[in-house]
Amino acid sequence: MPSERPFIHRFWSGREIPADYEVFEHMWQDLNPDYNVVTWDERCLVDFPKLKPVFDDLYRRDNGRHGIELYVQLADVVGYALIKRWGGVYVNCDMEPVRPLPEMPNQAWASYENYTDYRIVNAAIGAPEPQDRFWQRIIEGLPARYFANPTAEMVETTGPAYLTDMANAHRDEIYVFPKEAFCHVHWGEVAPGGDASAWRDQLPEEAIALHHWGHKKTGRTNRVETATQ
């Protein structure tokens, strides 16, 4: 999908996308007219054959397509792959933009989830050009990370813990935005099945988007909450 404009990528799989997430897509485009906003679906998985063993195992583990883990982990992996292939910006579908994107770093980037352990979240990531070295490392290392313990917590195998470990090992290759840019509200502050709408009028000037944490679950159940139905 060649484009003269850089991409803002999103990815959705499984159930019908919620109406408010479709609104967010239009908001991203309206606020960032110099970008081409694209919401990808599962048809794009064939574009990443090196990741097929991971995709296949995720589907095997949830062959009824009922678990939130499947869809969250697909988004983890596809987000990395889209940025590695196309460059640009990737944002989760549950991110509501509140301001235009600023001038983006001239290197791979992500953002902090919190300042307690300085975990780096993969809900908003990017690179100025395709084939960025840091995202190549992420893709090259992902199958080994996943298959070392595929039933571990999804955060550890494909999500923020994996991204944080790689960033800590290659700190000169990635810029990390402050948490206020994309994750001013921590997932622990959002009620199960809820969203971050209550914070919409309380965002700092640094905020680029409001992360609603639509995959928030009750404990460790496998039930998809209302926010993602």
Side-chain angles (χ1 to χ4, degrees):
M1 186 185 295
S3 174
E4 295 181 357
R5 295 181 293 169
F7 287 108
I8 296 176
H9 308 275
R10 308 189 325 152
F11 174 76
W12 186 260
S13 60
R15 301 165 187 238
E16 182 178 357
I17 189 168
D20 52 347
Y21 295 1
E22 291 187 312
V23 171
F24 296 167
E25 177 180 12
H26 296 299
M27 293 172 66
W28 281 108
Q29 189 65 78
D30 290 344
L31 286 168
N32 301 281
D34 293 334
Y35 284 81
N36 183 19
V37 181
V38 178
T39 298
W40 303 80
D41 59 29
E42 288 168 288
R43 291 173 293 181
C44 78
L45 301 187
V46 299
D47 295 333
F48 311 114
K50 292 183 179 179
L51 297 171
K52 186 176 185 299
V54 176
F55 295 142
D56 287 349
D57 195 65
L58 287 171
Y59 282 118
R60 178 193 61 79
R61 288 172 51 208
D62 187 15
N63 59 18
R65 310 294 190 265
H66 298 307
I68 188 63
E69 281 88 350
L70 168 65
Y71 301 114
V72 171
Q73 291 191 274
L74 284 177
D76 290 345
V77 179
V78 172
Y80 302 142
L82 289 170
I83 291 300
K84 186 255 185 182
R85 180 171 183 179
W86 299 105
V89 175
Y90 170 83
V91 292
N92 280 359
C93 286
D94 62 349
M95 281 198 158
E96 177 183 359
V98 296
R99 293 182 179 88
L101 290 169
E103 182 176 353
M104 303 309 285
N106 191 32
Q107 64 181 128
W109 61 267
S111 61
Y112 283 116
E113 175 189 287
N114 65 69
Y115 296 143
T116 301
D117 59 7
Y118 286 88
R119 177 162 283 179
I120 298 170
V121 72
N122 57 346
I125 60 176
E129 299 290 341
Q131 307 303 322
D132 176 87
R133 180 58 185 149
F134 179 79
W135 298 114
Q136 288 187 50
R137 292 186 193 277
I138 286 283
I139 295 299
E140 290 165 1
L142 195 146
R145 175 77 172 217
Y146 175 81
F147 285 108
N149 192 2
T151 60
E153 162 64 48
M154 59 189 175
V155 169
E156 296 292 332
T157 58
T158 61
Y162 173 52
L163 177 56
T164 302
D165 288 348
M166 290 292 283
N168 287 338
H170 305 282
R171 289 312 296 253
D172 60 327
E173 296 182 0
I174 184 168
Y175 173 84
V176 186
F177 277 97
K179 71 179 292 291
E180 289 78 11
F182 294 98
C183 296
H184 177 66
V185 180
H186 187 265
W187 61 265
E189 300 175 87
V190 177
D195 62 28
S197 296
W199 286 266
R200 191 176 283 123
D201 297 328
Q202 307 170 31
L203 295 174
E205 292 184 0
E206 307 96 305
I208 298 168
L210 175 60
H211 194 180
H212 285 288
W213 301 103
H215 60 281
K216 181 73 183 289
K217 300 191 303 177
T218 300
R220 293 298 304 145
T221 70
N222 220 24
R223 181 167 63 89
V224 178
E225 299 294 343
T226 301
T228 55
Q229 290 180 350

